Amino acid sequence: MKYFLIITLFFIFMPAQASAQTILLCLGKEESFYAKKHYTGPKYHLNQIMINEISSVGNPELAAGNYKKYCTHPEQSPSLKLLKAMTLGKKGLFNFKEDEGDAGVQFAMVTYDEFRKKSIKVLMQYMSKIQMQAASADCLTKNIPGLTQFYSRFRYLEEEIDSIALKGSKEDLLRLYDSLENIDQILKKCQKKQAKAVK
């Protein structure tokens, strides 16, 4: 797995940072869970996307209580939970310990804020990965409410409006994420339907 060795070394050589309950610790545990299960489905791909994107920020510490909230159960896709929180505009996810005159922390805060703003495009990247695994071209749009409209906003408006408008309403996003929590079941359903159609 692409980032597994990096995250494993991170656990071994940076125990102090790991004890700080950082986001890479969270995502790394999720990746380790998938590795043990030999799982390479959609949630694994999202985990890899999130590790790659968050690595560009650094390794921010999750704010008090958020590690337990988002990361305690790696089988429940912490990556999806964190992406959902970011696209919904949740504040206070991370704890940037700002020391006076620490330009590095200031830079990390600004960089993270930029990532939070583009999180909707990360979601679109994830949807593209899922589409590649779907049994048919219309599998996702038939089984995920509002997805057709979500795609349309990107197809026609991405270059003209900001990421906030691309998201649609909060209700639209919540429906989309509700479906994504069961994405493995949706893909299996499409596979069975496709298999029947071939017979």
Side-chain angles (χ1 to χ4, degrees):
M1 295 186 178
K2 187 175 181 181
Y3 295 98
F4 186 66
L5 178 58
I6 296 174
I7 299 298
T8 301
L9 292 174
F10 174 81
F11 290 156
I12 295 171
F13 294 110
M14 297 189 70
Q17 183 77 339
S19 64
Q21 298 187 332
T22 63
I23 188 170
L24 284 182
L25 173 63
C26 176
L27 298 176
K29 285 187 174 181
E30 181 185 2
E31 183 187 38
S32 179
F33 171 80
Y34 295 146
K36 290 175 182 177
K37 296 290 185 180
H38 304 288
Y39 172 80
T40 56
K43 293 176 183 178
Y44 161 76
H45 288 296
L46 177 60
N47 175 258
Q48 296 299 286
I49 293 169
M50 290 289 284
I51 289 173
N52 185 42
E53 294 290 345
I54 291 292
S55 294
S56 68
V57 178
N59 188 25
E61 179 183 349
L62 287 158
N66 280 342
Y67 189 89
K68 182 178 181 180
K69 179 178 180 180
Y70 293 102
C71 307
T72 304
H73 301 287
E75 72 278 5
Q76 294 178 7
S77 187
S79 296
L80 186 63
K81 290 182 178 181
L82 289 165
L83 183 60
K84 177 181 179 179
M86 283 184 260
T87 53
L88 289 172
K90 181 176 175 59
K91 303 290 185 178
L93 274 176
F94 299 104
N95 178 28
F96 292 100
K97 294 180 178 178
E98 185 174 2
D99 297 324
E100 187 175 353
D102 189 345
V105 173
Q106 285 279 11
F107 176 77
M109 292 172 69
V110 171
T111 304
Y112 165 69
D113 192 55
E114 287 301 312
F115 171 64
R116 182 180 58 80
K117 290 177 181 177
K118 75 170 185 176
S119 60
I120 193 67
K121 296 184 180 180
V122 173
L123 176 59
M124 185 61 182
Q125 185 181 350
Y126 176 45
M127 297 306 303
S128 298
K129 285 283 188 182
I130 298 173
Q131 183 62 57
M132 292 171 62
Q133 293 184 304
S136 62
D138 61 356
C139 166
L140 300 184
T141 53
K142 283 187 174 181
N143 290 279
I144 300 180
L147 184 59
T148 299
Q149 292 80 4
F150 179 76
Y151 283 156
S152 295
R153 285 195 293 273
F154 269 83
R155 186 175 299 114
Y156 299 113
L157 303 173
E158 184 177 9
E159 300 303 323
E160 300 177 23
I161 59 178
D162 61 24
S163 60
I164 294 175
L166 284 173
K167 295 177 183 181
S169 69
K170 181 178 179 179
E171 290 72 23
D172 290 338
L173 279 176
L174 288 173
R175 281 196 297 269
L176 178 58
Y177 278 108
D178 284 345
S179 295
L180 289 177
E181 289 177 3
N182 301 301
I183 191 60
D184 288 316
Q185 289 85 348
I186 289 173
L187 292 178
K188 287 179 181 177
K189 176 182 175 182
C190 291
Q191 287 174 348
K192 289 181 180 178
K193 185 175 180 180
Q194 188 72 9
K196 288 181 181 179
V198 172
K199 290 181 180 180

